Amino acid sequence: MAAATVLVIGIHREELAFGDHVAALLEPAEIDVLRIPQGVPQTRPAAGRQFHYDTRHRELYLQLQQQVKGRYRLLIDLHSGLDEGGPTADVFCHQEDVLGRLGTRLREADGANHVRPLRIIARDESEPRAGWQEGAAVGAYTWIPRSIWEGGMPVYVGLEIYLRDPGAGGRGDWQFAREVIELIHGCEGAGRPI
């Protein structure tokens, strides 16, 4: 039986080494890994190069959509950032029911202090709506094409793991990312689509 979840690593080329370390800790029978060896730079370029960067970024996601559509129920898009208080994580998803299930699993796993679910909202919405819990962080904006994060199957979940130091992170960071990925993967629930 094929895995229901795919983890995407390397959309940003500087994050690929971190993604490789995290992927090595996952159970291959549970979660497939799609490695992007030639991603875009993590830092957005100056205005003169913005169009080419945005086009390449969008094309990567549209190609990704073609590769995973109809094969998976859940797509986890792994990224890394910096936060001296890390490791912490933001989880982005458009579907409030998925964020709700994740919130429940986080409370059960006592991980709510280190992981923040955020609802992806349209770029043109003037007032963000609350995510999985009243008073929780409000919605997040994204550069990812709407057809990806709002498309349905597979359900898109963005995962940003914040590291204390730049680079590929360390064993503790990789273990933390693996635990969060497994919590997200576990949100499928009772064999029905997420």
Side-chain angles (χ1 to χ4, degrees), residues 16-71:
L16 184 57
F18 172 70
D20 283 335
H21 287 293
V22 173
L25 299 177
L26 297 173
E27 178 58 47
E30 295 287 321
I31 300 172
D32 286 345
V33 176
L34 181 56
R35 187 175 190 274
I36 310 294
Q38 300 286 326
V40 296
Q42 192 171 25
T43 305
R44 297 178 72 77
R49 306 263 322 141
Q50 190 70 43
F51 174 79
H52 297 290
Y53 177 92
D54 289 347
T55 301
R56 175 74 175 128
H57 187 264
R58 185 174 46 256
E59 287 304 314
L60 270 175
Y61 275 103
L62 294 176
Q63 289 172 20
L64 172 65
Q65 183 179 32
Q66 293 305 311
Q67 288 184 306
V68 301
K69 193 171 188 168
R71 295 183 59 200

Side-chain angles (χ1 to χ4, degrees), residues 107-125:
R107 288 188 296 279
E108 291 169 355
D110 197 29
N113 294 334
H114 303 287
V115 181
R116 182 174 61 155
L118 296 167
R119 182 171 180 270
I120 296 176
I121 58 173
R123 298 206 56 191
D124 54 1
E125 273 190 57

